[in-house]
Amino acid sequence: MFPEHRPRRLRTTPAMRRLVGETTLRPRQLILPMFVAEGIDTPRPISSMPGVVQHTRDTLRKAAVDAVNAGVGGLMLFGIPKTRDAVGSGAVDPDGILNVALRDLRSELGDATVLMADTCLDEFTDHGHCGVLDADGGVDNDATLRVYAEMGLAQAEAGAHLLGPSGMMDGQVGVIRAALDRVGRTDTGILAYSAKFASAFYGPFREAVDSQLKGDRKTYQQDPGNVREALREIELDIAEGADMIMVKPALAYLDVIRAAAEASPVPVAAYNISGEYAMVEAAAANGWLDRERTILEVLTSIRRAGADMILTYWAAEAAAWLD
């Protein structure tokens, strides 16, 4: 009578497979990162990320409305200024591109989605680092925290529901939380980039934000081989007041996502980043992969690892497929 056990019985029809499916992927679990650039009249394509653009303020509004109508759970906004300086002044300027775009979207969408802002200086500095520099050219952690607090307040005032401190400065969550609470913005949440690794997969993102970086960020982003360190960072951010935590990148760090999900009492996000997007798009363009199936498999793998939500450039498109 061999075989006695026949697991294939539960795979016989689409309805059966749907009935016993273990991992769900729904539009509400997807967050769309979006770029808005100052001083452009038409959207500017990002060559290393086919299908992704730097938006104008007007095209950003339309694309954001379309994404929300598709059912995505949130939008993460990045701003690209025309001019930069050593301290990232555009990040704290109420009339800086990121803050005016946040006001645009909050006015357009209200509370229909969760509006998120990247709370980091790398897009705004002329040296491309995520913080201000000291006299020796290193990133000054504590001086940067003071700017982050001001930046977070500006983003909250502009309408962000969630702030996304991504610079990996020690104490960044606590400083931002304290600044928000001091002015009564107790409802503004923090999505902490807690485990952000010094990854080779960020390459296309550097083009997307016109990064001025020379060198690397290894003195503040984490070593790709370290998981205990990632869990320590997560624990510290939660203790400082993070409402959600994030692992970034996603695909090469599925084990870290799993460890974070098992340890974290708050929701866990994962960022399916630019290099991961570019790999699939390039292979699909060459006919080497079935694009839709691959995208959904990638996103399902991140959910299966334990992510409650996924930042992905495929968010709006995948949401339409899922519904």
Side-chain angles (χ1 to χ4, degrees), residues 165-166 168 191-197 199 202 222 224 226-227 229-231 233-234 237 244-264 266-273 276 302 305-312:
S166 60
M168 292 300 290
L191 168 57
Y193 287 60
S194 300
K196 183 177 180 182
F197 293 87
S199 171
Y202 297 136
Q222 292 176 305
N226 292 1
V227 67
E229 182 184 27
L231 293 175
E233 290 275 11
I234 289 167
D237 281 355
M244 306 173 182
I245 60 94
M246 188 193 297
V247 176
K248 181 181 181 182
L251 277 183
Y253 298 87
L254 296 175
D255 60 321
V256 182
I257 296 171
R258 168 50 56 194
E262 291 174 349
S264 175
V266 301
V268 175
Y271 200 143
N272 175 217
I273 67 168
E276 299 165 358
I302 300 168
D308 299 293
M309 62 203 79
I310 306 169
L311 286 82
T312 176

Side-chain angles (χ1 to χ4, degrees), residues 168-212:
M168 292 300 290
M169 297 297 115
D170 294 340
Q172 62 186 12
V173 172
V175 164
I176 293 171
R177 182 73 269 158
L180 292 169
D181 290 350
R182 273 197 302 271
V183 300
R185 291 199 171 275
T186 56
D187 287 341
T188 302
I190 296 176
L191 168 57
Y193 287 60
S194 300
K196 183 177 180 182
F197 293 87
S199 171
F201 287 95
Y202 297 136
F205 183 88
R206 305 272 167 84
E207 179 193 353
V209 298
D210 188 24
S211 175
Q212 305 301 297

